[in-house]
């Protein structure tokens, strides 16, 4: 049981890190404007979030827009984070 709780906590931390990286990438995109692609910190966040954004982009039909990919990815990560928290809480309360 404790191994499952640890795995859920670790997965939740990864999802949280990806969500925060997406938020930071969006904030830097607003602050840096068109020069964001030359910003090394923006490039780091883009590297971290490339795979989840690509997977979420496949869910969007038609023309893929980077803004929609990021918004959908963040929404899915937030829902996953909440679901993992609820699952972990249910496991912890069922033991007690």
């Amino acid at each position: 049981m404790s191994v499952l709780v640890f795995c859920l906590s670790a997965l939740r931390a990864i999802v949280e890190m990806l969500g925060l990286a997406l938020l930071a990438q969006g904030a830097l995109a607003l602050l840096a404007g068109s020069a964001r692609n030359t910003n090394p910190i923006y490039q780091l966040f883009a590297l971290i979030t490339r795979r989840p954004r690509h997977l979420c982009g496949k869910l969007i039909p038609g023309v893929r827009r980077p803004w929609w990919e990021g918004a959908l990815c963040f929404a899915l990560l937030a829902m996953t984070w909440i679901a993992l928290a609820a699952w972990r809480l249910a496991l912890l309360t069922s033991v007690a």
Side-chain angles (χ1 to χ4, degrees), residues 51-94:
R51 194 59 68 184
R53 287 175 58 106
H54 179 70
L55 291 173
C56 291
K58 290 183 181 267
L59 298 174
I60 301 172
V63 179
R64 291 175 41 182
R65 303 201 182 224
W67 188 86
W68 283 108
E69 283 180 12
L72 176 65
C73 189
F74 182 78
L76 290 175
L77 285 172
M79 287 188 288
T80 304
W81 187 75
I82 291 170
L84 287 171
W87 188 9
R88 182 174 170 253
L89 183 64
L91 282 174
L92 290 175
T93 55
S94 67

Side-chain angles (χ1 to χ4, degrees), residues 27-44:
L28 276 175
L30 289 175
L31 290 173
S34 62
R36 67 179 171 253
N37 291 328
T38 60
N39 187 329
I41 303 300
Y42 182 86
Q43 290 174 354
L44 174 67

Side-chain angles (χ1 to χ4, degrees), residues 15-35:
V15 169
E16 184 174 352
M17 184 267 314
L18 287 172
L20 290 173
L22 274 171
L23 280 177
Q25 185 180 7
L28 276 175
L30 289 175
L31 290 173
S34 62

